[in-house]
């Protein structure tokens, strides 16, 4: 995995020094170098960028000015010759702050932090538990946490999600086996609920995302135990 990187610095010597570090790092790939913030802003619009190595002290438009102008900024590692910018840097939620001259050890530590941030962000998306279901002759990916409840409809079942109702050919018993037991519970012959969506319940009904769903008498204790572990 390599972070797509750019360098923004008005000093050609400094760009060359940082480029050498970027090109020699196994987790970075160089996309472009820019000598001023205007060029950089246009470049960021036209390329997918994961990480910016950004000089603070540039003429006319500073590194901080550039950060303020970006709507969706990639990760940023600020580079400066003045240590008194450090506190201001973290007001901009930067990944790290490098003081010139940059040592390889300090550079590696900054990149390691950027890689960890990237992996954490993307792992959340990739690891969202999901299943594939067949509906209208098409396979659909369904994020389990989006399911509010499942309802029996004769030979079919209906998945009620945040975005849509998905009807599939299946029995409740068969579909129940695909669901994690710690997140879903069958509370009635015709209903399976997402435990994380439960708002309240009594001896007869469970309220899930504003909808009242019948609760079988023999499931009340099991529901209470399950909710205590959510």
């Amino acid at each position: 995995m390599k972070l797509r990187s750019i360098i923004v610095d008005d000093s050609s010597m400094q760009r060359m020094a940082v480029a050498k570090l970027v090109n020699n790092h196994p987790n970075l790939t160089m996309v472009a170098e820019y000598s001023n913030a205007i060029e950089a802003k246009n470049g960021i619009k036209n390329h997918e960028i994961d990480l910016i190595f950004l000089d603070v002290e540039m003429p006319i438009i500073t590194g901080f000015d550039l950060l303020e102008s970006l709507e969706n900024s990639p990760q940023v590692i600020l580079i400066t010759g003045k240590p008194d910018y450090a506190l201001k840097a973290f007001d901009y939620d930067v990944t790290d702050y490098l003081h010139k001259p940059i040592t390889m050890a300090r550079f590696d530590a900054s990149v390691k932090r950027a890689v960890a941030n990237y992996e954490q962000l993307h792992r959340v998306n990739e690891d969202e538990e999901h299943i594939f279901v067949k509906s209208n002759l098409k396979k659909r990916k369904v994020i389990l946490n989006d399911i509010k409840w499942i309802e029996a409809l004769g030979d079919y079942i209906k998945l009620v999600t945040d975005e849509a109702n998905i009807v599939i050919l299946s029995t409740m018993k068969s579909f129940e086996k695909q669901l994690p037991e710690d997140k879903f519970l069958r509370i009635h012959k015709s209903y399976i609920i997402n435990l994380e969506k439960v708002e309240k319940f009594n001896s007869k009904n469970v309220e899930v995302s504003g909808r009242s769903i019948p609760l079988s008498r023999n499931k009340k204790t099991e529901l209470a135990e399950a909710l205590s572990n959510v």
Side-chain angles (χ1 to χ4, degrees):
M1 187 274 298
K2 292 183 176 238
L3 301 185
R4 293 160 296 197
S5 308
I6 62 170
I7 299 168
V8 187
D9 197 313
D10 63 307
S11 164
S12 59
M13 292 292 290
Q14 187 63 35
R15 288 199 309 275
M16 194 183 300
V18 177
K20 186 176 179 182
L21 291 167
V22 170
N23 288 326
N24 289 333
H25 199 287
N27 293 122
L28 300 176
T29 185
M30 176 73 80
V31 175
E33 299 177 28
Y34 302 103
S35 61
N36 62 68
I38 296 171
E39 289 179 359
K41 189 173 181 181
N42 291 331
I44 292 166
K45 286 179 183 176
N46 296 324
H47 297 96
E48 285 191 35
I49 304 299
D50 301 311
L51 182 60
I52 306 174
F53 291 93
L54 177 61
D55 181 35
V56 173
E57 302 112 342
M58 291 187 293
I60 305 174
I61 301 175
T62 68
F64 290 127
D65 294 333
L66 175 61
L67 289 181
E68 287 179 4
S69 72
L70 296 176
E71 291 182 13
N72 295 302
S73 174
Q75 289 194 75
V76 174
I77 294 176
L78 281 180
I79 299 172
T80 179
K82 295 182 180 178
D84 48 341
Y85 281 130
L87 284 176
K88 186 176 180 181
F90 289 99
D91 287 338
Y92 290 84
D93 195 29
V94 300
T95 299
D96 208 352
Y97 175 96
L98 291 174
H99 186 250
K100 302 173 187 176
I102 303 167
T103 66
M104 187 175 290
R106 189 67 187 83
F107 181 85
D108 287 346
S110 289
V111 173
K112 188 175 182 180
R113 182 177 294 180
V115 168
N117 288 347
Y118 180 92
E119 288 180 340
Q120 183 179 21
L121 177 66
H122 288 77
R123 190 179 297 122
V124 167
N125 295 333
E126 290 171 4
D127 285 355
E128 276 189 319
E129 289 185 89
H130 63 272
I131 55 174
F132 285 96
V133 300
K134 202 168 186 179
S135 179
N136 294 328
L137 303 177
K138 294 180 181 178
K139 272 196 170 184
R140 292 185 60 168
K141 181 180 178 180
V142 180
I143 304 297
L144 292 180
N145 198 48
D146 288 348
I147 300 173
K148 296 192 272 193
W149 70 86
I150 298 110
E151 187 175 338
L153 295 173
D155 292 333
Y156 293 82
I157 61 171
K158 178 171 71 174
L159 278 58
V160 179
T161 76
D162 294 328
E163 294 183 356
N165 295 338
I166 304 167
V167 176
I168 62 175
L169 180 62
S170 175
T171 63
M172 291 288 275
K173 186 176 181 180
S174 172
F175 193 77
E176 189 178 5
K177 292 176 183 176
Q178 298 184 57
L179 302 171
E181 293 179 3
D182 60 331
K183 292 186 177 178
F184 290 85
L185 180 67
R186 190 169 184 177
I187 60 165
H188 184 276
K189 65 179 183 179
S190 299
Y191 291 94
I192 299 170
I193 61 167
N194 184 336
L195 294 166
E196 293 182 352
K197 307 287 186 183
V198 173
E199 292 165 352
K200 58 185 177 182
F201 73 98
N202 55 35
S203 59
K204 293 183 179 180
N205 299 289
V206 181
E207 191 167 306
V208 178
S209 298
R211 163 77 180 269
S212 183
I213 293 173
L215 172 64
S216 293
R217 225 180 320 174
N218 62 344
K219 287 287 186 174
K220 185 181 177 184
T221 302
E222 189 178 349
L223 173 61
E225 289 177 357
L227 287 173
S228 68
N229 294 320
V230 171

